[in-house]
Amino acid sequence: MSGRQRDATDATSTSDYTALYNAARLRTDSWNRLRDLARRLRRLKPGDPEFEPLMRECAATFTFLRPSERYHAFPGWQVFEQLSKNFDKGAYEAVARQSIRLVRMMTTNAYRRLDLSRANLHDYADLLNVTALTDAVHEQMQREERPYFELLLVDELTPAEQAEQQAKFLSVRRKDDDFIYSVVAVDSFEDALLAAVLNFNIQSVLIRSNFGFRTRTRSPFLAEVYRILGDDPARLESALASERSMLLGRALKSLRPELDLFIVTDAPVENIIAELSDFERAFYLQEDYIDQHLSILKAVNERYESPFFSALRRYSSKPTGAFHALPISRGKSITKSHWIQEMVEFYGNNIFQAETSATTGGLDSLLQPTGPLKRAQELAARAFGARRTYFVTNGTSTANKIVLQALIRPGDIVLLSHDCHKSHPYAVILAGAAPVYLDAYPLSDYSMYGGVPLSQIKRELLRLRRAGKLHRVKMLLLTNITFDGIAYDPERVMEEVLAIKPDMIFVWDEAWYAYGRFWPTLRQRTAMEAAARLRERLRSEAYRASYVAWHAKFERQNLDDDAAWLETRLRPDPHAAQVRVYVTQSTHKTLTALRQGSMIHVHDQDFEEHVEPAFDEAYMTHTSTSPNYQILASLDMGRRQVELEGYELVHRSLELAMILRERIQADPLLYRYFRILGPRDMVPEQYRPSGIEYYYDRNHGWSPLENAWHSDEFVLDPTRVTVHVGRTGMDGDTFKKLLMDKFDIQINKTSRNTVLFMINIGVGRGAVAHLVKVLTQIAKELDETSDSMSAVARRLHARKVASLIEDLPPLPNFSSFHRAFLPEEDSTTPEGDMRRAFFLAYDDGACHYLSLHAALQALENGEDLAAATFVTPYPPGFPVLVPGQVVTRDILRYLLEVDVKEIHGYEPEFGLRLFTEDTLNVSAAAAATPPKAKRPRRQPEGAGT
């Protein structure tokens, strides 16, 4: 497709890159281009200079669009072919009029409000056969409020038979149906896969028993689909025709697990029940269309169901007299007021109508749900691939505390990243556990950290095993993805850790990754998906047989050789390994939910038998007895949204993130001051076996990100666009304030020389275009300022730029816990008693203050220094010191050189809060004194030894 020069404010792109996330934009842009070409063509005559080039461009656009229209109900192949025939016979006026109408209905979503049966239309082709839409059609579209979706029919049919099938489904639709839908028909296995990934509107799939395998369409997306599936098309094609339906069902569920699948078979249904786990229902050939129609609607309705939101809405409409807490309930304390009436004007009345502390009258208790709230959590578990899901109304910080208190006992050892969110060490302190801090790889050039390498995790576990402490290790707690977008490979991490510690519990903080479930490439790196895959693999006979061979070859020969364990991809014993995985998720951060709306997802095979009572107690401990019902209802609705359109919304986010990358890096002016950080910048080479260095490069174009997501230890989430701003001479915090104060653009995360733009599901193309325009304006102003600088000002500016690009303070790793807070004096393992240090610091007499320079001098004099508090600079926003940690020269130099105004736990007028030398000596002596032996308790008769 040819491109034209565009204004910098235009966020669209004519890149020929055909990644799956680009498919919708390419289709939309092609339809817009066809409309524009047809408009121009109808004004020309053969022989005009522009006529032949326009004809060729129109023909090329038709050729480009033809394959994709087979997979969409609107406009669909019948309409497209009629439009193409009009073009071939020279009816350019008709092509222009018809394409304008079709594109308008696509861009306004008017086709979603068109019930063909109620509008008395046979199919969408009828829209082309009239000069203007009738008043009846317009009226019907204006009245229509029912949601629309599309049904994918997989069957080997001729075009005429496909039209007949579509007409039959149309004929059984009723005016009181909850939804309206259209039918997309394909005749092969591969076409079904392509339709599912290219058409967001498909919500249900009806698979007949007779269909081919190969598509006749040369689709650029098919290879990517197979990469996502991780399967060989030759193996799939070699399956028996009778097995093909089951294989297709499994493949579709792998691509889009939310889809409702149905199968029509000529085999006795009762004989294949065991094979139908991926299907909602099986129909025998003689069953009629009305039964299929009602089953399709019922299944979609189960995802559309929002039990708690609906219960709250019903409650708010009742004329209830409130004689309990909350004067604000029903807005009574506001409507009676002479001074706060604007609250109703600002918030609206419904928010107050729904305010209540009642757990009856159709509502439910968050602490012991038995009704609509319990059902809402069950639906959320299904949506996110969990075995259990719990709603949390005060953020993921609380979710982390609940999970750790439920699973950890005093004295247990927890492994966690040293740059973790502050809620992690606080949860460890509350649980009384001993933390072992793991070092994430540093990105000193950008003042941020990546992830914790698997080799580092294995090394610490092996060290603890040598010390005889592996039995005390209970949990590995990691952030996936990090704020900056670094994602782990959870399945591999859990697989290798379980080979060393078969009963390890994994907690993945996915506060920023709730959307990952709803795009097939991203889903591979979510912990719930990884847990399900790992458990299925460990239970398979094929894995058990392969493990026996691996074990005989490796473990027996290398049991005491740590180097071999570090260098080998380990495999867990399927008979010993337990899949115990928890995810804490800030649903409100990346999906539709009110502030502080979070979830806990559970995939723990021991949960019901061993964990549930303790979990319930921890949940009671940290959950308010007066939860905000609006937050709970928003979690319910957010779940409904992603089950029905999450795939589309995440697709749009990916698309826009790639547009932003391209626009910034391809523009010479923007590239002079701004650089997008890619995988080569944020993931060191040793963790990138794929060799992928960028998602978009101004000199080389696009790279297939899917390759990295399949093979690399760490990957960069494409929806995180980190922009290096060092060449502007502004640090990240200054640039953030400029964006907010002057241009009303809000961002959260900065580092010393970067700003992070998160392309979430609420961002639109207009917002991206505005951002590009703003960056262009800033770049132009910087150019103008540079031109008028004096020689002195130019030198000062160059020095500032150098400080942001070259002279960056090295990032400190976690040092160690002071000997006063080690479990024993001669400890060879790094866990510390952070809880004791935390509470010891409550005693003012145990602490004193030193300025950073004075602390540095104290170290030069050979003194021991240990932090009494968390010290957290913003940015980067993680503790560089925790209670009980040894203060080192590297840490002090970092705090001296880091140019930020906000350091939590550090007061410039006082300095660092440190333990006194006497306190450390007393505490160290107490730690070195072995506890007095306790007399063993007498066991009851018959108890084992």
Side-chain angles (χ1 to χ4, degrees):
M1 308 251 333
S2 64
R4 293 168 179 265
Q5 188 68 32
R6 299 177 307 282
D7 184 81
T9 62
D10 178 13
T12 62
S13 166
T14 55
S15 168
D16 290 329
Y17 185 53
T18 51
L20 186 56
Y21 57 74
N22 224 23
R25 178 162 62 104
L26 290 173
R27 177 175 180 250
T28 300
D29 290 350
S30 295
W31 270 105
N32 289 335
R33 184 147 194 80
L34 180 63
R35 174 203 60 198
D36 295 342
L37 291 169
R39 279 172 166 168
R40 294 167 58 197
L41 190 61
R42 69 179 174 182
R43 293 194 294 266
L44 300 176
K45 297 178 181 178
D48 288 347
E50 288 187 69
F51 184 79
E52 287 300 326
L54 280 175
M55 284 281 291
R56 288 193 297 271
E57 205 163 349
C58 257
T61 306
F62 271 112
T63 300
F64 182 84
L65 279 172
R66 179 167 279 105
S68 68
E69 292 315 302
R70 297 184 59 204
Y71 307 127
H72 296 83
F74 185 87
W77 66 269
Q78 293 163 305
V79 171
F80 182 83
E81 290 303 325
Q82 185 171 332
L83 195 67
S84 180
K85 288 177 182 177
N86 286 339
F87 173 76
D88 290 341
K89 66 183 182 183
Y92 306 129
E93 177 62 38
V95 172
R97 172 173 48 80
Q98 293 166 351
S99 61
I100 290 170
R101 178 177 300 163
L102 294 173
V103 171
R104 184 183 297 119
M105 293 187 71
M106 291 171 68
T107 55
T108 62
N109 285 316
Y111 74 94
R112 299 174 67 93
R113 301 189 299 274
L114 179 59
D115 184 345
L116 294 172
S117 58
R118 295 178 70 177
N120 294 319
L121 299 175
H122 181 262
D123 55 40
Y124 292 123
D126 288 348
L127 297 172
L128 302 184
N129 300 328
V130 293
T131 304
L133 297 180
T134 64
D135 291 340
V137 171
H138 278 296
E139 184 182 353
Q140 190 274 316
M141 287 194 294
Q142 289 172 356
R143 290 200 318 267
E144 187 58 71
E145 295 181 350
R146 292 174 296 172
Y148 166 91
F149 69 93
E150 293 177 13
L151 166 69
L152 177 63
L153 175 62
V154 187
D155 199 359
E156 196 164 45
L157 301 171
T158 66
E161 290 170 331
Q162 288 182 4
E164 181 184 354
Q165 291 292 318
Q166 291 167 338
K168 286 182 177 178
F169 276 104
L170 184 63
S171 69
V172 296
R173 283 175 21 187
R174 303 166 304 171
K175 293 181 180 180
D176 57 350
D177 287 340
D178 292 327
F179 313 101
I180 55 176
Y181 67 91
S182 297
V183 179
V184 179
V186 297
D187 60 4
S188 75
F189 187 103
E190 291 184 335
D191 283 316
L193 298 180
L194 289 167
V197 296
L198 295 176
N199 186 348
F200 312 132
N201 289 328
I202 290 174
Q203 296 291 342
S204 299
V205 184
L206 182 64
I207 301 174
R208 301 271 172 81
S209 56
N210 298 315
F211 55 91
F213 184 84
R214 293 288 181 182
T215 178
R216 294 185 295 275
T217 302
R218 294 185 60 184
S219 172
F221 307 110
L222 193 56
E224 183 179 334
V225 170
Y226 281 125
R227 279 199 299 272
I228 293 170
L229 291 173
D231 215 331
D232 178 13
R235 185 194 73 83
L236 294 170
E237 187 175 17
S238 66
L240 297 174
S242 58
E243 299 173 337
R244 191 167 289 168
S245 297
M246 304 303 169
L247 289 173
L248 177 58
R250 172 162 290 195
L252 290 172
K253 279 292 186 182
S254 180
L255 294 170
R256 292 182 57 184
E258 78 277 9
L259 292 177
D260 299 318
L261 306 184
F262 302 88
I263 187 170
V264 179
T265 178
D266 55 2
V269 174
E270 62 274 13
N271 293 342
I272 59 171
I273 290 176
E275 303 173 25
L276 297 175
S277 59
D278 292 316
F279 294 86
E280 296 290 323
R281 183 173 172 182
F283 299 100
Y284 199 63
L285 282 180
Q286 280 86 358
E287 297 191 60
D288 59 20
Y289 285 90
I290 188 64
D291 202 16
Q292 296 173 14
H293 167 77
L294 294 175
S295 297
I296 290 164
L297 293 182
K298 178 177 180 292
V300 172
N301 197 51
E302 287 178 356
R303 283 185 283 149
Y304 187 78
E305 177 189 3
S306 51
F308 190 74
F309 175 81
S310 300
L312 189 61
R313 187 166 61 173
R314 285 193 299 270
Y315 174 87
S316 67
S317 66
K318 294 179 180 179
T320 307
F323 295 94
H324 56 86
L326 299 181
I328 203 173
S329 179
R330 304 282 164 172
K332 295 297 178 62
S333 64
I334 301 172
T335 57
K336 293 178 179 180
S337 172
H338 300 291
W339 298 93
I340 60 172
Q341 290 289 322
E342 62 266 33
M343 282 187 71
V344 173
E345 295 171 9
F346 182 75
Y347 289 108
N349 191 55
N350 280 347
I351 194 170
F352 304 112
Q353 287 291 108
E355 273 291 358
T356 180
S357 62
T359 58
T360 56
L363 297 177
D364 205 352
S365 166
L366 178 61
L367 296 176
Q368 284 188 317
T370 58
L373 196 50
K374 179 182 180 182
R375 175 61 178 160
Q377 292 181 144
E378 290 170 349
L379 293 175
R382 179 187 69 189
F384 289 95
R387 296 178 68 178
R388 291 282 193 96
T389 288
Y390 293 83
F391 289 174
V392 180
T393 59
N394 40 349
T396 302
S397 294
T398 293
N400 287 325
K401 293 166 190 171
I402 291 170
V403 171
L404 264 69
Q405 181 174 318
L407 298 167
I408 299 301
R409 304 293 178 267
D412 288 346
I413 294 175
V414 175
L415 278 62
L416 69 163
S417 175
H418 83 281
D419 65 329
C420 60
H421 188 267
K422 67 179 183 179
S423 65
H424 298 175
Y426 281 128
V428 169
I429 288 170
L430 290 174
V436 170
Y437 277 105
L438 306 169
D439 290 327
Y441 64 80
L443 297 167
S444 296
D445 288 346
Y446 314 112
S447 299
M448 64 179 72
Y449 285 91
V452 178
L454 179 55
S455 58
Q456 160 90 353
I457 300 170
K458 291 162 66 176
R459 187 176 293 109
E460 292 299 341
L461 285 172
L462 294 170
R463 189 188 340 181
L464 289 159
R465 185 173 71 175
R466 283 198 309 274
K469 297 181 179 180
L470 196 60
H471 68 284
R472 288 180 53 203
V473 179
K474 294 295 174 69
M475 178 182 291
L476 174 62
L477 170 56
L478 293 171
T479 303
N480 185 49
I481 56 177
T482 68
F483 206 153
D484 299 294
I486 303 300
Y488 289 81
D489 183 347
E491 186 173 0
R492 179 169 180 186
V493 170
M494 294 190 293
E495 176 185 30
E496 294 211 46
V497 167
L498 288 175
I500 301 172
K501 173 72 174 170
D503 60 346
M504 180 72 90
I505 301 170
F506 300 91
V507 177
W508 296 92
D509 184 333
E510 293 188 352
W512 297 94
Y513 204 27
Y515 58 90
R517 173 76 182 172
F518 303 99
W519 182 256
T521 300
L522 305 183
R523 188 183 310 118
Q524 301 169 57
R525 300 264 174 160
T526 62
M528 285 294 101
E529 177 75 7
R533 287 204 309 257
L534 183 58
R535 189 176 187 197
E536 182 179 2
R537 187 150 53 91
L538 291 177
R539 295 166 69 180
S540 71
E541 291 301 325
Y543 176 82
R544 295 187 177 195
S546 67
Y547 172 79
V548 170
W550 178 86
H551 180 270
K553 182 179 179 180
F554 170 76
E555 189 171 354
R556 292 174 185 172
Q557 301 172 11
N558 301 284
L559 185 60
D560 298 317
D561 183 358
D562 282 2
W565 284 75
L566 288 170
E567 295 166 6
T568 302
R569 178 160 184 168
L570 304 178
R571 309 188 70 182
D573 181 347
H575 299 288
Q578 298 169 283
V579 179
R580 308 190 62 192
V581 185
Y582 293 76
V583 163
T584 56
Q585 174 196 96
S586 292
T587 317
H588 67 100
K589 283 187 169 75
T590 60
L591 296 179
T592 301
L594 291 176
R595 184 79 167 169
Q596 297 189 359
S598 295
M599 297 186 191
I600 298 170
H601 301 302
V602 181
H603 190 119
D604 182 354
Q605 64 190 71
D606 287 348
F607 185 81
E608 287 78 8
E609 186 173 356
H610 298 298
V611 178
E612 190 168 9
F615 187 95
D616 288 345
E617 286 297 327
Y619 195 77
M620 295 274 190
T621 300
H622 294 281
T623 299
S624 170
T625 55
S626 302
N628 186 294
Y629 278 6
Q630 285 86 349
I631 294 177
L632 294 171
S634 73
L635 288 171
D636 194 17
M637 291 298 280
R639 185 276 316 159
R640 179 214 276 184
Q641 181 182 43
V642 291
E643 275 208 289
L644 291 163
E645 56 183 344
Y647 179 77
E648 176 181 2
L649 294 172
V650 178
H651 179 112
R652 302 289 188 197
S653 296
L654 289 165
E655 175 186 275
L656 291 173
M658 294 304 181
I659 288 173
L660 183 57
R661 280 182 168 82
E662 181 188 20
R663 295 301 301 129
I664 291 176
Q665 299 198 105
D667 188 301
L669 173 62
L670 294 177
Y671 191 71
R672 186 151 57 243
Y673 295 102
F674 308 112
R675 182 168 67 85
I676 305 291
L677 300 189
R680 65 184 163 199
D681 303 298
M682 301 187 71
V683 181
E685 187 175 4
Q686 64 265 37
Y687 308 126
R688 285 187 291 109
S690 70
I692 297 297
E693 295 188 344
Y694 49 80
Y695 293 154
Y696 177 80
D697 180 81
R698 66 197 313 260
N699 297 316
H700 303 96
W702 299 94
S703 288
L705 67 86
E706 297 78 17
N707 292 350
W709 283 70
H710 275 283
S711 63
D712 292 355
E713 181 171 346
F714 298 103
V715 290
L716 175 62
D717 175 14
T719 69
R720 298 291 204 280
V721 182
T722 300
V723 180
H724 189 280
V725 298
R727 285 179 287 191
T728 67
M730 288 180 273
D731 61 67
D733 192 52
T734 301
F735 197 85
K736 171 184 175 179
K737 290 178 179 177
L738 172 66
L739 290 177
M740 186 64 203
D741 295 344
K742 187 174 180 179
F743 301 105
D744 297 323
I745 291 176
Q746 182 177 347
I747 59 174
N748 292 104
K749 173 69 166 61
T750 66
S751 74
R752 177 150 169 79
N753 53 19
T754 69
V755 294
L756 172 65
F757 297 102
M758 294 175 56
I759 312 301
N760 60 53
I761 64 170
V763 174
R765 288 179 81 160
V768 171
H770 177 61
L771 175 58
V772 172
K773 181 179 180 180
V774 166
L775 294 178
T776 302
Q777 182 177 335
I778 293 172
K780 287 179 178 178
E781 291 175 358
L782 289 169
D783 266 1
E784 293 170 2
T785 302
S786 177
D787 290 343
S788 60
M789 277 183 179
S790 67
V792 173
R794 198 177 301 279
R795 284 196 298 271
L796 290 173
H797 179 73
R799 192 178 306 163
K800 179 65 173 176
V801 170
S803 73
L804 294 171
I805 296 179
E806 301 167 6
D807 306 327
L808 294 163
L811 291 172
N813 283 331
F814 184 82
S815 52
S816 64
F817 284 102
H818 191 275
R819 68 181 186 282
F821 304 106
L822 294 178
E824 59 263 350
E825 189 173 19
D826 58 347
S827 177
T828 60
T829 54
E831 76 277 12
D833 192 345
M834 189 166 60
R835 178 185 176 92
R836 184 156 56 90
F838 179 83
F839 286 107
L840 182 59
Y842 280 22
D843 181 0
D844 286 340
C847 305
H848 67 130
Y849 289 92
L850 285 179
S851 71
L852 294 178
H853 288 288
L856 195 58
Q857 185 59 51
L859 289 181
E860 296 295 336
N861 295 336
E863 296 182 34
D864 283 346
L865 301 182
T869 61
F870 291 98
V871 178
T872 308
Y874 280 84
F878 67 90
V880 296
L881 285 170
V882 304
Q885 182 182 346
V886 171
V887 179
T888 65
R889 291 174 180 82
D890 286 345
I891 293 171
L892 291 174
R893 289 194 184 108
Y894 177 79
L895 290 172
L896 282 167
E897 294 181 36
V898 68
D899 184 19
V900 298
K901 300 177 179 63
E902 184 179 355
I903 303 180
H904 295 182
Y906 172 73
E907 300 178 53
E909 62 272 27
F910 295 106
L912 287 176
R913 185 173 169 87
L914 306 169
F915 287 111
T916 65
E917 187 174 1
D918 287 345
T919 300
L920 293 176
N921 290 335
V922 170
S923 185
T929 304
K932 185 181 292 186
K934 292 183 179 181
R935 179 179 298 176
R937 293 177 61 188
R938 182 178 179 182
Q939 291 183 324
E941 292 185 12
T945 58

